[in-house]
Amino acid sequence: MDDEFMDFMQRAIDLSERSMEEGGGPFGAVVVKDGEIVAEGTNRVTVDNDPTAHAEIQAIREACDRLGTFDLGGCEIYASCEPCPMCLGAIYWSRIRRVYYANTREDAAAIRFSDEDIYDEFSRPPSERSIVSLVRIPSDRARDVFDRWIRKRDRIPY
């Protein structure tokens, strides 16, 4: 593997170590565009009391802010661990097309960071999931908002 790839991965790993030392989880990530790091993130879940403050999410937010866009299609992300379902979803939404990672989700599970219950939940029909409040409440007003959105001439599609 190219030295540049290894440098980016090493930075993600350095961030994971720093995160752990500062009271966060042992995860780090960097977003790279055109061979340059444009954003970094560490796991701040316990530091910020924010369950969404994973390293990849933090790095994506910072990259979007710095680049002034929600579309990171020209970027790659390097993560110290295989992204969890939430982070993978954010990676898809941001249009990042390549993910490099060091530790696997099995490695994370071995240190008590397991996402298997979430993966299992996704494979079940909604009626069999543990979040029982996933109940549709149809609304004409909610439908109207969607109808107005699709007709809105100045909408920004994403």
Side-chain angles (χ1 to χ4, degrees):
M1 180 144 296
D2 190 314
D3 285 345
E4 185 176 78
F5 292 102
M6 295 307 295
D7 289 345
F8 298 142
M9 182 57 69
Q10 189 57 54
R11 181 61 185 155
I13 295 166
D14 290 346
L15 289 167
S16 73
E17 185 175 36
R18 186 179 90 194
S19 179
M20 179 182 62
E21 291 169 354
E22 293 176 352
F27 303 98
V30 296
V31 174
V32 174
K33 182 173 183 172
D34 299 327
E36 298 289 328
I37 293 175
V38 295
E40 300 180 340
T42 59
N43 181 287
R44 298 191 50 85
V45 170
T46 57
V47 175
D48 293 345
N49 293 318
D50 178 353
T52 69
H54 289 201
E56 297 91 336
I57 301 290
Q58 301 291 86
I60 288 169
R61 288 174 179 162
E62 183 178 301
C64 289
D65 186 53
R66 284 194 176 162
L67 297 173
T69 183
F70 58 83
D71 185 340
L72 300 179
C75 298
E76 300 171 331
I77 193 164
Y78 291 75
S80 62
C81 188
E82 184 176 354
C84 75
M86 177 183 67
C87 292
L88 194 54
I91 289 165
Y92 274 98
W93 277 110
S94 70
R95 296 183 177 92
I96 290 173
R97 295 293 179 228
R98 182 152 299 200
V99 179
Y100 299 94
Y101 63 91
N103 292 318
T104 66
R105 70 190 207 196
E106 291 82 12
D107 296 330
I111 62 164
R112 298 196 176 124
F113 285 94
S114 179
D115 300 318
E116 286 310 308
D117 56 334
I118 297 171
Y119 286 107
D120 290 344
E121 284 282 305
F122 288 162
S123 68
R124 294 184 182 120
S127 63
E128 295 177 17
R129 295 181 185 164
S130 65
I131 299 177
V132 295
S133 61
L134 188 61
V135 177
R136 181 170 185 252
I137 302 173
S139 168
D140 290 340
R141 183 164 174 243
R143 183 72 242 167
D144 180 59
V145 172
F146 273 19
D147 290 344
R148 288 181 15 231
W149 167 257
I150 200 65
R151 291 190 311 266
K152 189 174 179 350
R153 293 187 191 277
D154 62 343
R155 76 179 184 272
I156 300 171
Y158 62 95

